[in-house]
Amino acid sequence: MAYTSPAVVIDNGSYTTKAGFASEDLPSLVFSTNYAVDNKTGSVIVGDDEICAQPENEVMTLLDNGLIYNFDNIVHNWQYVYDNIDNHNAIDAKEFPLVLTEQSWNTSKNRLTATQIAFETLEVPIFSLVKTPIAQLYRAGRSTGLVIDVGASVTSVTPILDGIIQHKSCFHSKYAGNFVNLHVLDYLQSQSKQVVNNLLPKQYHGGSDSFKTYYISHNVLQDYKSLALNYQLRNYQLPNNTHIPVGDSTNFLESLFQPTLRKLPDVVIPEPVVDKPHTHGLTNLIFLCLKSLEASLLPPTNDSSSHNKLAKFTEIFKELLSNILITGGTSNGSGLPESIINDIRAMTQQYYSNYPFSYSIYPIRHSTGDSNETWDRQFGAWMGACNLASMLNDSNEQSNSVKIALDNWFVTKADYEELGEDLIVEKFK
């Protein structure tokens, strides 16, 4: 039987939380994943306007390395969604299925904790955890592909074959949007005489240090990257109304590919080590992923069926590199997708010259610009999770969508209460 209520879908990113009903085209709520703690009452404050209304409070994070670590307060983030999702009107969590996204390297302990909060604190009737790269690839209408996700705190490379993540060949690093922010901040401070308050509106000069960091990151740095870097401005206006020059040398996206290229004050950037993928920039991360996949798929030289397996491997690689999905908010940076695909082309021509690869990127970049492309990169995980969640509402009696969804992705509260942790470990592994 189909569910009549649309699922609530929440995509907790390190930078922003995207949330809305699965029946919607775009998330109705996009707000900072950070939260503040009221200095007087100790209550938790969620929401951009709410945090900025009291700059004296400390601002804190919920995620690290792309994973939720602060489960004591993530519930306030989810409750904020239920209180505001319907045009800033509250809904009852007990009446709507809930879908959350998760990174492919999430832990079983985290999954169990999230499920416990969903069923025991929020009391949702049905719940699912959807892998972010699976949702992104599903949104692109593909089951096989190489998902390159450049987000705020993490850059990840995930090969997916026939809907199955190849976990041993999945790699990620912290050289992502926040790392670019460090370089942008260093430049802005050098141009504004190293005075942090020059990067803040006057009403926030007395704010806590953590609030200042939060505001600069979510407003000034983001604004600089989206305007100065993407639109090639000659000058950029700071909040104190002074202007600083913007030159070609400030294309800090290069740091994603070569993290050690530019030094940062008081920041130690480790030299890349072959057996430590997290120490590498984006191009090498992709290369290590492909080499790992090659090692796991290629047959031994003494294998009697090696010729057939080699042919199969060639087809897999060809399909994988013909379906490259470049996504994540930071991937909207000017010229970044083209730089990634050019590096992949050069890399495969050098190391895999025997294979007749073709290259295609989804979504296709249009020369005139396309707002749908921007939304796909920024909200792809949320929209893909919505596509999966919408299967619960399929009222076509001839369709097996509801059964497929329940069998593969969702857990009901009744099943959770009966089967407990073992069911969660098996369903969301």
Side-chain angles (χ1 to χ4, degrees):
M1 182 182 72
Y3 286 76
T4 56
S5 298
V8 171
V9 179
I10 303 176
D11 176 27
N12 286 123
S14 300
Y15 182 70
T16 56
T17 292
K18 285 74 69 174
F21 292 116
S23 55
E24 298 173 327
D25 294 329
L26 290 172
S28 57
L29 294 173
V30 180
F31 60 96
S32 172
T33 303
N34 293 74
Y35 69 97
V37 177
D38 191 297
N39 289 336
K40 298 177 181 178
T41 65
S43 59
V44 172
I45 301 169
V46 180
D48 301 84
D49 293 340
E50 292 83 348
I51 291 175
C52 287
Q54 302 179 59
E56 70 278 4
N57 293 326
E58 296 296 328
V59 180
M60 303 179 186
T61 60
L62 291 168
L63 277 73
D64 180 50
N65 196 34
L67 306 180
I68 298 170
Y69 75 91
N70 190 338
F71 279 97
D72 289 337
N73 288 311
I74 192 67
V75 66
H76 296 287
N77 176 285
W78 297 342
Q79 188 60 57
Y80 179 86
V81 171
Y82 284 104
D83 289 343
N84 293 275
I85 191 172
D86 187 14
N87 196 25
H88 296 288
N89 294 311
I91 63 171
D92 188 349
K94 299 176 183 178
E95 298 177 1
F96 297 84
L98 172 62
V99 177
L100 302 177
T101 60
E102 62 167 353
Q103 296 289 3
S104 59
W105 58 91
N106 199 16
T107 66
S108 294
K109 181 179 179 181
N110 280 6
R111 295 187 190 106
L112 289 171
T113 303
T115 304
Q116 182 179 16
I117 293 173
F119 282 128
E120 298 180 17
T121 302
L122 299 174
E123 299 185 76
V124 302
I126 183 170
F127 175 67
S128 180
L129 279 167
V130 176
K131 300 286 189 299
T132 295
I134 291 287
Q136 292 163 329
L137 197 62
Y138 188 88
R139 168 66 183 173
R142 288 150 170 79
S143 60
T144 293
L146 185 68
V147 180
I148 302 170
D149 187 349
V150 190
S153 67
V154 177
T155 289
S156 62
V157 182
T158 308
I160 300 175
L161 304 179
D162 294 326
I164 300 174
I165 294 175
Q166 306 302 298
H167 287 281
K168 291 183 179 180
S169 302
C170 297
F171 298 122
H172 65 278
S173 79
K174 291 188 177 182
Y175 296 128
N178 290 343
F179 184 67
V180 175
N181 281 357
L182 293 177
H183 289 279
V184 175
L185 179 60
D186 181 53
Y187 173 75
L188 293 181
Q189 286 185 320
S190 70
Q191 296 294 314
S192 60
K193 301 179 181 180
Q194 294 291 338
V195 179
V196 171
N197 281 347
N198 286 342
L199 303 179
L200 292 164
K202 287 184 178 180
Q203 67 265 34
Y204 298 140
H205 286 186
S208 66
D209 288 344
S210 60
F211 173 82
K212 291 179 180 180
T213 299
Y214 155 81
Y215 184 88
I216 290 173
S217 173
H218 282 253
N219 294 274
V220 182
L221 302 184
Q222 201 66 19
D223 185 60
Y224 181 90
K225 288 192 298 184
S226 63
L227 292 177
L229 298 184
N230 285 351
Y231 293 97
Q232 305 298 311
L233 299 181
R234 295 182 62 186
N235 294 288
Y236 177 76
Q237 182 175 324
L238 297 174
N240 65 357
N241 294 322
T242 61
H243 290 78
I244 62 172
V246 177
D248 293 338
S249 61
T250 58
N251 186 3
F252 302 105
L253 295 176
E254 295 174 5
S255 63
L256 296 174
F257 299 90
Q258 301 182 58
T260 59
L261 183 64
R262 292 187 177 93
K263 302 299 181 184
L264 287 167
D266 304 320
V267 177
V268 177
I269 302 174
E271 290 295 325
V273 179
V274 173
D275 60 350
K276 295 181 179 179
H278 65 276
T279 63
H280 289 265
L282 180 51
T283 302
N284 282 355
L285 207 64
I286 297 169
F287 174 71
L288 292 171
C289 166
L290 296 180
K291 291 299 290 183
S292 173
L293 199 62
E294 180 184 35
S296 64
L297 294 178
L298 269 181
T301 55
N302 59 353
D303 191 325
S304 59
S305 60
S306 59
H307 180 75
N308 291 336
K309 290 184 178 179
L310 179 60
K312 183 178 180 181
F313 164 75
T314 301
E315 287 303 311
I316 289 173
F317 245 44
K318 184 178 180 180
E319 185 177 6
L320 193 71
L321 291 181
S322 296
N323 293 282
I324 298 173
L325 173 61
I326 300 175
T327 186
T330 303
S331 71
N332 280 314
S334 178
L336 185 60
E338 289 82 359
S339 296
I340 293 173
I341 204 67
N342 285 338
D343 280 1
I344 293 177
R345 180 178 289 110
M347 177 198 312
T348 52
Q349 287 173 351
Q350 179 178 356
Y351 295 102
Y352 303 102
S353 57
N354 293 330
Y355 302 117
F357 295 135
S358 60
Y359 308 85
S360 62
I361 313 174
Y362 182 91
I364 301 300
R365 178 172 288 276
H366 301 284
S367 58
T368 57
D370 187 344
S371 61
N372 289 331
E373 174 193 333
T374 300
W375 300 141
D376 276 340
R377 295 194 194 282
Q378 190 168 354
F379 304 137
W382 182 87
M383 292 190 287
C386 284
N387 293 151
L388 292 171
S390 295
M391 294 174 69
L392 290 173
N393 304 117
D394 188 351
S395 58
N396 184 351
E397 294 183 359
Q398 304 301 317
S399 172
N400 291 323
S401 294
V402 177
K403 184 179 186 304
I404 292 172
L406 290 173
D407 288 345
N408 292 279
W409 297 302
F410 287 88
V411 171
T412 65
K413 187 175 183 180
D415 286 342
Y416 169 74
E417 291 173 344
E418 178 183 355
L419 302 173
E421 294 185 357
D422 291 341
L423 173 64
I424 303 307
V425 171
E426 177 62 26
K427 184 63 71 79
F428 299 141
K429 64 182 178 181

